[in-house]
Amino acid sequence: MEQRPIEPEGWAPAKGYANGILVTGGRTLYVAGQIGWDAQQALVSAEFLPQFRQALQNVAAVVKAAGGETQHLVRVTIYVTDKHAYMGAIRDVGAVWRDVIGRHFPAMTLVQVADLLEPGDEVVADGIAVVVVGDIKTPVGPVVTDDAVAAEVPEDDAAPVVDAISPPVADPEVPAQTPAK
């Protein structure tokens, strides 16, 4: 996989992020919003910085579970309830980022929100990673088709089911997996 930062001509250099990342090769992983809770779904702290660290560690754990590494992240969005807390701790935020993610700075966005779902949650991080097919060391879970998803959603469920635009394409370099029953 190749990642190339994209910076429009004449723009001042981005600091701590890239304006764009052009990626060739690999498989795309979409990481859901991760909050500052541990594996038992308990917030690690009431404070911003420990929650930020844990949210990043959770993003990294999902990427690693898919056979990737943090340098495979190509986009990260951070949602905070208090941008002043984020900016007030910016040096520590940077140190935590480098400790968890490394000196890798993908395309990033910071968004302040009015509130988050879990009580006491101050930060959510999500991301997109492109994992090189050859890097995948273990099966990452069952292959899910539209029919399998539809079969698992009760008819009276209020959540919408979105049809896929195209069927999944088998990758010859990834072992076939049998859906879990």
Side-chain angles (χ1 to χ4, degrees):
M1 172 187 64
E2 179 184 332
Q3 294 184 37
R4 188 172 61 127
I6 301 297
E7 302 296 341
E9 188 175 329
W11 285 23
K15 296 178 182 176
Y17 67 96
N19 282 300
I21 298 285
L22 182 62
V23 180
T24 56
R27 297 176 60 155
T28 306
L29 169 69
Y30 298 89
V31 180
Q34 302 295 313
I35 69 172
W37 63 13
D38 59 23
Q40 287 70 47
Q41 298 183 342
L43 285 176
V44 296
S45 173
E47 296 178 13
F48 169 76
L49 208 54
Q51 285 189 26
F52 179 69
R53 174 181 293 278
Q54 186 65 50
L56 290 181
Q57 288 173 332
N58 293 346
V59 168
V62 172
V63 172
K64 289 175 182 176
E69 298 296 333
T70 57
Q71 71 268 17
H72 292 143
L73 286 162
V74 296
R75 179 163 180 71
V76 173
T77 303
I78 307 292
Y79 303 87
V80 297
T81 57
D82 183 355
K83 72 177 181 181
H84 300 292
Y86 179 94
M87 295 305 296
I90 196 68
R91 287 194 181 277
D92 293 329
V93 164
V96 167
W97 178 274
R98 289 185 302 278
D99 187 46
V100 176
I101 306 298
R103 291 192 168 274
H104 171 65
F105 304 102
M108 289 192 277
T109 301
L110 174 70
V111 180
Q112 179 174 298
V113 296
D115 201 4
L116 294 166
L117 184 61
E118 294 297 323
D121 186 18
E122 296 187 15
V123 61
V124 171
D126 68 23
I128 300 172
V130 178
V131 179
V132 176
V133 174
D135 287 354
I136 298 176
K137 298 170 186 71
T138 59
V140 296
V143 174
V144 178
T145 64
D146 291 339
D147 292 338
V149 171
E152 294 177 13
V153 178
E155 288 185 28
D156 62 342
D157 195 324
V161 176
V162 179
D163 289 332
I165 293 173
S166 61
V169 177
D171 188 327
E173 295 188 37
V174 177
Q177 300 175 28
T178 305
K181 296 195 184 222

